[in-house]
Amino acid sequence: MMNKKEALEKYERAKSKGEVDKDIISLLEKINSLPYFYTTSSCSGRIVLLNIPEIGDKKDAKFVCKWHREVDKKELVNCLKDYKEHYLFFIMQSPIIHIVASETEWANKLIKISLECGFKYTSIKKIESKKILVEVLSTENLHIPIGREGKIIVKEEQLTFFLEMANKLLIRAKGKLKCLEEKINSLLLSSS
Amino acid sequence: MMNKKEALEKYERAKSKGEVDKDIISLLEKINSLPYFYTTSSCSGRIVLLNIPEIGDKKDAKFVCKWHREVDKKELVNCLKDYKEHYLFFIMQSPIIHIVASETEWANKLIKISLECGFKYTSIKKIESKKILVEVLSTENLHIPIGREGKIIVKEEQLTFFLEMANKLLIRAKGKLKCLEEKINSLLLSSS
C-alpha cells in the first residue's frame, strides 16, 4: 500500500492534469486533512460505454466513452457511431473511493458513516501491517450489453430508457457524496 | 457476528429445507471442516427477475423469479407474464460466499486464493473482536431494466441476447467455485 506522502503527491499530479472529478475534490481534500485517513484513488460515479472482446474478459476491455455527469441522448448516439467490433456494454457505476485508515478503529468509523450515507457495498479490500484499505461504494449500477459484433442490438426507445435510468441513478449516487462530506466535516470539527 | 456453532446449525436447517444451492454444498462443507473458517451465508450464482417499486429502492424489491442454473427462454417468457407494475430488472449475479476467519492471517490466505480463482471483488465486510468476515465475490454481473409500469420495453431478440449472455456468465462464474474448492482441498490436506 502506498504511504500518505506518496498518495498525496499522486493526487496532486492527477488534479493538476484535470484527472480528478471536480465534484469529488472537496470531499477528498477533507478526508486527506484528517491525520488518520488518506485517499489512494477515486471516481465520482460515471456512465461509460465499454468494448469487451470476449464475455468476461474485462482485462482487455476498452472505454469507448466515459462521462462523470448526466449524459444527453445526442452524446450517447454520437459515441455509438464508432462501434465496430466485439461486445458493447452500457454501464453506470457508483462513486468509488479508496481510503487508507491508520487503525481498525478509524476504518470501522469510516465504514459506519459510509453505510449511514447509503454506500451499502463499502468494504475492506486489504489489511497490511495495521493499515486498512477501505473501499467506499454504493449499490447503483447498470450493466447492459447493447451491441454484438459491431451491431447495436437495442432500439432507440430502449436506449432512451436505459439512459434516463442511468442519469437518475447517477444523480442519486452522487447525492450520497454530499452526505459523506458532511460526516467527514463533523470528524474534522471534532478533531480540531 | 454469529459463532461457528450457530452458523453450522443455521446451515443444517437451510440444507434440510433444500434452501442451499446443490452445486455449492461440497465447497461449503469443506470450508466448514477447517478449524479457522466457517460460512454464514452463500449463493452459487443466479439469474433473477426483480420488481423494483422506485429507482434505487432495493429495500422494497421483490423477486419475481429466481434460478441458480442456466435458464431457457420459455421459462423466462413464462415468468414475464406475471409482470404488472413498477420497474422490472433482469439480473445475473456472481456466486457469493460469506466466510468468517478466526484470524487476519487466515482471512488474508482466503482472500489470496479467492483472487487467484478469479473472485476479483472479494473483500472484508466486517472485523469484530479479531473475527473477520470475508465476502467471496466475482465480477460477472448483468443489471438490465427491461420493464416499466407493467410494460416490457425490450423485444424478443434482445431478451434472447440478454439471456444467452447471462447463461454464459453464470457458467463462467460457477466454474470459479470448482477452482476454490480445489484450493480449499489443499488447505484441508495440509492441515490434516
Side-chain angles (χ1 to χ4, degrees), chain A residues 55-58 87 89 93 104 108 111 120-127 132 139-148 151 153-155 157-158 161-162 164-165 168-169 172, chain B residues 55-58 87 89 93 104 108 111 120-127 132 139-148 151 153-155 157-158 161-162 164-165 168-169 172:
Chain A
I55 290 177
D57 180 12
K58 294 210 170 153
Y87 291 102
F89 276 74
Q93 287 172 315
T104 305
N108 282 339
I111 292 170
K120 301 287 185 195
Y121 286 171
T122 296
S123 66
I124 293 167
K125 298 305 278 185
K126 210 188 254 185
I127 305 176
I132 294 156
T139 50
E140 290 81 9
N141 98 82
L142 293 177
H143 217 94
I144 311 175
I146 60 166
R148 171 176 54 184
K151 188 173 172 288
I153 61 109
V154 295
K155 302 276 179 293
E157 178 200 354
Q158 293 132 13
F161 176 51
F162 295 154
E164 279 172 14
M165 176 79 71
K168 278 185 195 165
L169 287 170
R172 187 185 149 94
Chain B
I55 290 178
D57 181 11
K58 295 210 171 154
Y87 292 101
F89 276 74
Q93 287 172 314
T104 305
N108 282 339
I111 293 170
K120 300 288 186 196
Y121 286 171
T122 296
S123 67
I124 293 167
K125 298 305 277 185
K126 212 188 254 185
I127 306 176
I132 294 155
T139 50
E140 290 82 9
N141 98 81
L142 293 178
H143 217 94
I144 311 175
I146 60 167
R148 173 177 51 185
K151 190 174 170 285
I153 61 109
V154 296
K155 302 275 179 295
E157 177 200 355
Q158 294 131 14
F161 176 52
F162 295 154
E164 278 172 14
M165 175 79 71
K168 279 185 194 165
L169 287 170
R172 187 185 149 94

Side-chain angles (χ1 to χ4, degrees), chain B:
Chain B
M1 249 181 267
M2 66 179 87
N3 64 37
K4 187 160 188 170
K5 187 168 172 285
E6 290 163 344
L8 290 185
E9 282 168 5
K10 182 187 155 213
Y11 169 77
E12 290 298 338
R13 273 198 307 277
K15 193 180 154 192
S16 69
K17 285 190 220 160
E19 290 168 4
V20 184
D21 310 337
K22 274 185 194 146
D23 51 1
I24 206 171
I25 286 181
S26 77
L27 170 59
L28 297 182
E29 300 196 346
K30 275 173 187 150
I31 293 169
N32 283 319
S33 68
L34 284 162
Y36 37 82
F37 290 148
Y38 60 94
T39 62
T40 58
S41 67
S42 69
C43 169
S44 71
R46 63 190 184 183
I47 294 171
V48 303
L49 285 171
L50 194 68
N51 192 300
I52 299 180
E54 281 296 325
I55 290 178
D57 181 11
K58 295 210 171 154
K59 198 170 81 262
D60 295 311
K62 285 201 180 82
F63 290 109
V64 183
C65 287
K66 188 160 59 172
W67 299 274
H68 295 92
R69 53 165 174 81
E70 285 173 86
V71 176
D72 69 38
K73 208 173 128 199
K74 265 190 200 162
E75 292 174 295
L76 183 64
V77 169
N78 208 34
C79 179
L80 292 178
K81 285 178 188 157
D82 299 328
Y83 174 53
K84 289 193 177 59
E85 55 178 0
H86 308 317
Y87 292 101
L88 189 69
F89 276 74
F90 175 78
I91 294 172
M92 181 270 149
Q93 287 172 314
S94 146
I96 187 167
I97 314 174
H98 290 108
I99 303 169
V100 177
S102 58
E103 284 173 43
T104 305
E105 186 196 342
W106 287 112
N108 282 339
K109 178 79 185 166
L110 177 61
I111 293 170
K112 185 172 175 284
I113 63 174
S114 300
L115 293 175
E116 283 167 1
C117 288
F119 290 95
K120 300 288 186 196
Y121 286 171
T122 296
S123 67
I124 293 167
K125 298 305 277 185
K126 212 188 254 185
I127 306 176
E128 229 176 70
S129 54
K130 288 205 174 174
K131 278 186 196 169
I132 294 155
L133 177 64
V134 175
E135 180 177 273
V136 175
L137 185 67
S138 189
T139 50
E140 290 82 9
N141 98 81
L142 293 178
H143 217 94
I144 311 175
I146 60 167
R148 173 177 51 185
E149 292 170 15
K151 190 174 170 285
I152 302 297
I153 61 109
V154 296
K155 302 275 179 295
E156 196 173 323
E157 177 200 355
Q158 294 131 14
L159 212 54
T160 307
F161 176 52
F162 295 154
L163 187 61
E164 278 172 14
M165 175 79 71
N167 283 333
K168 279 185 194 165
L169 287 170
L170 195 70
I171 293 168
R172 187 185 149 94
K174 280 182 188 280
K176 296 179 179 179
L177 291 171
K178 289 195 190 71
C179 167
L180 192 59
E181 191 167 343
E182 278 164 27
K183 288 189 187 275
I184 292 289
N185 239 347
S186 304
L187 287 181
L188 267 170
L189 290 172
S190 66
S191 73
S192 63

